[in-house]
Amino acid sequence: MDIRKLLEEVKTGAVSVEAAETRLKIQPFDDLGYAVVDHHRRIRNGCPEVIYCAGKTVTQIEGIIENMLAHESNVLATRASEETAQAILKRYPEAEWNPLARTMVILCRAVEKTGGGRILVLTAGTSDIPVAEEAVVTAEFLGNEVERLYDVGVAGLHRLLAKLDVIASANVIIVIAGMEGALASVTGGLTDKPVIAVPTSVGYGASFGGISALLSMLNSCANGVATVNIDNGFGAAYIANSINRINR
């Protein structure tokens, strides 16, 4: 439900005060038994509830999607397996499935643009792209303009330096890297814009599933670098969106 639209309809007389009251009473959340869907999250936080698919059955995911669409809410589902995605697509063929990002998007209303600046998503290597794509899909779902700059890690630093104009023109930069995670510090030293670092679980044995990159990013000597959890492209994009909404 769009609260502003409802209030405008009450103002013009298209909807009675009593009808509006009824719609508002049922709006805050729906208890489905296995999930309590928060319909006021978009009003409070600027983003509707997002479905985290891991650990949920297809039936549960379909039930949440059905409930959200009934309330005119756009749907973003993350960490969907191929099997889950194909099952959802049979029921909702309009869904946009990104197999790299493991995300599904269903739009029932136009995406409201943030009006903020562009978000730049960098990866150190090609192996980091799945996490990057999760960030891209999330940021675009939230109404941001996004640019990708992939495979520009420090093993070939000239690749990054050749794109200084792109880095300078971004409003927020998401840096995604595994191995030792050095790209976040290097990028932080090249820009005055906020850098959100995302360590990935990419790397050889001593990377400890991303912990090595996480610790490197947490200990960055470059100013303006903040770090989210391992492989958390969604969280990085959400923070970048929050920054952009401040500047709109």
Side-chain angles (χ1 to χ4, degrees):
M1 179 191 296
D2 188 323
I3 297 295
R4 180 178 291 274
K5 179 182 177 182
L6 177 61
L7 292 174
E8 290 290 344
E9 290 174 340
V10 172
K11 181 179 179 180
T12 61
V15 175
S16 69
V17 172
E18 291 76 18
E21 182 182 22
T22 299
R23 288 167 65 178
L24 288 170
K25 280 181 179 178
I26 63 173
Q27 176 67 11
F29 63 85
D30 279 326
D31 190 343
L32 307 182
Y34 51 84
V36 180
V37 186
D38 181 2
H39 297 298
H40 270 184
R41 190 169 302 181
R42 182 170 65 87
I43 299 169
R44 296 193 316 272
N45 298 345
C47 174
E49 183 160 10
V50 174
I51 304 171
Y52 180 76
C53 294
K56 294 183 177 67
T57 67
V58 170
T59 300
Q60 290 171 340
I61 296 169
E62 287 179 340
I64 298 170
I65 291 174
E66 180 181 9
N67 183 264
M68 292 180 69
L69 293 177
H71 286 266
E72 301 178 354
S73 175
N74 289 337
V75 176
L76 170 60
T78 65
R79 303 300 168 99
S81 67
E82 178 73 29
E83 180 182 3
T84 295
Q86 294 308 317
I88 298 299
L89 284 168
K90 287 182 180 179
R91 181 166 176 181
Y92 298 99
E94 71 274 23
E96 298 177 21
W97 161 236
N98 185 321
L100 269 180
R102 295 183 292 164
T103 57
M104 303 194 76
V105 172
I106 304 176
L107 300 179
C108 65
R109 56 190 295 155
V111 174
E112 180 184 352
K113 300 302 180 182
T114 64
R118 184 166 43 84
I119 295 173
L120 177 62
V121 179
L122 304 179
T123 73
T126 305
S127 297
D128 301 308
I129 290 177
V131 177
E133 283 296 300
E134 181 181 73
V136 169
V137 171
T138 301
E140 290 180 339
F141 176 80
L142 295 174
N144 299 275
E145 178 189 355
V146 183
E147 183 168 356
R148 299 169 173 86
L149 187 55
Y150 291 169
D151 195 27
V152 290
V154 298
L157 190 58
H158 56 292
R159 300 174 297 178
L160 181 68
L161 297 179
K163 299 292 184 178
L164 288 179
D165 57 333
V166 178
I167 294 171
S169 65
N171 192 52
V172 188
I173 303 171
I174 298 174
V175 177
I176 300 171
M179 300 293 187
E180 85 285 24
L183 183 61
S185 285
V186 172
T187 304
L190 295 172
T191 180
D192 60 350
K193 305 298 172 54
V195 173
I196 304 168
V198 186
T200 71
S201 50
V202 172
Y204 298 105
S207 70
F208 302 110
I211 292 177
S212 177
L214 172 64
L215 293 176
S216 292
M217 290 172 172
L218 287 173
N219 287 287
S220 173
C221 63
N223 297 321
V225 177
T227 305
V228 299
N229 211 342
I230 299 169
D231 293 337
N232 191 8
F234 167 80
Y238 197 104
I239 295 169
N241 172 72
S242 296
I243 294 170
N244 265 352
R245 288 176 65 86
I246 292 172
N247 294 329
R248 65 177 177 174

